[in-house]
Amino acid sequence: MPLRNVAEYLERSAARVPDKTAFSDAAGAVSYRQMLHDAQALGTVLAGLPGCRNAPVAVMIGRTAASVTAMQGVLQSGCYYVPIDEQMPEARMRSILGQVHARAIVHTAANEPQARALADCAPLVSLEEASQHTPDEALLRANGKNTVRYVDGILRAWRAQGITTIDAARKQGQLEGSNIVMTERPSAQQPAASAQKDLFNRDWAAMFDEEG
């Protein structure tokens, strides 16, 4: 069966090569098995938050292996993530969080001070603390994990960050980490779209696969 999204890729990789390194950085390496566990544990915590279903979740973690785990955890919960650069001015972060109506902010111990300054915007979720939870597969299934139903929310998150074209989204790595599946099937009725075309004036039904 073909892969539908990156959440499935992680699950299949963890089953096939559990001890293989998934990502590594200066802090160390994480295996597929460990990443899946931590992602599902985070997903379980997020899925248990009020209103946290098919909703935006901010990920305030730098470009580290932990950020990949956090993004996977958001996808496992049935939500979509909004990357937040903790180096941005607080006013800018507040503006983005307000525009996308984030339901939670995932952070690590390294950027806890920045996260705490935004605690009035959304509930804070520590990745380290969440990873200590036991994953609840039943809850994750009930909350709609691995579905691809978040186009509107993802676009809202991108627009808040000034991303308005497919090319811009790709350059910032947004397409690689999203739980949406780009299809762009050329046809006489729906030719392949230009990478520079405005994201907000498109026939998205023809651009994205949707489950359920």
Side-chain angles (χ1 to χ4, degrees):
M1 180 180 295
L3 289 170
R4 293 172 297 177
N5 51 60
V6 293
E8 281 193 0
Y9 174 81
L10 175 59
E11 292 171 356
R12 294 191 190 185
S13 296
R16 188 179 69 255
V17 286
D19 297 318
K20 184 177 180 179
T21 297
F23 286 91
S24 63
D25 56 23
V30 59
S31 68
Y32 282 108
R33 186 205 311 271
Q34 187 64 50
M35 178 169 285
L36 178 61
H37 173 276
D38 292 350
Q40 290 184 331
L42 173 60
T44 297
V45 172
L46 292 173
L49 294 178
C52 206
R53 180 174 184 177
N54 293 0
V57 172
V59 174
M60 185 186 290
I61 302 175
R63 293 179 178 274
T64 63
S67 69
V68 181
T69 300
M71 291 174 184
Q72 284 281 349
V74 174
L75 302 187
Q76 290 284 334
S77 75
C79 293
Y80 52 90
Y81 61 82
V82 181
I84 299 291
D85 183 354
E86 72 272 22
Q87 300 302 318
M88 289 191 297
E90 182 178 326
R92 175 60 177 155
M93 290 190 283
R94 286 181 174 276
S95 175
I96 294 174
L97 292 170
Q99 289 185 59
V100 302
H101 304 293
R103 297 303 178 88
I105 301 173
V106 179
H107 66 90
T108 61
N111 39 49
E112 184 174 358
Q114 295 95 322
R116 287 200 174 280
L118 302 169
D120 59 313
C121 296
L124 304 183
V125 178
S126 163
L127 177 61
E128 291 92 345
E129 293 179 8
S131 65
Q132 301 304 309
H133 285 69
T134 299
D136 186 336
E137 276 287 332
L139 177 61
L140 296 180
R141 283 195 299 273
N143 228 40
K145 73 162 188 167
N146 292 350
T147 61
V148 284
R149 294 181 280 189
Y150 319 116
V151 174
D152 288 341
I154 290 171
L155 292 179
R156 188 166 61 246
W158 288 351
R159 178 158 47 187
Q161 298 175 75
I163 299 173
T164 58
T165 67
I166 290 291
D167 190 51
R170 183 176 291 112
K171 285 180 179 178
Q172 294 199 25
Q174 296 288 351
L175 296 182
E176 296 174 7
S178 174
N179 62 333
I180 56 177
V181 182
M182 292 298 296
T183 58
E184 295 202 49
R185 301 184 184 93
S187 68
Q189 295 74 30
Q190 181 69 31
S194 165
Q196 293 295 338
K197 189 172 181 181
D198 188 342
L199 279 165
F200 305 100
N201 291 289
R202 316 195 59 148
D203 177 9
W204 286 105
M207 294 293 294
F208 290 86
D209 284 333
E210 181 172 330
E211 176 193 22

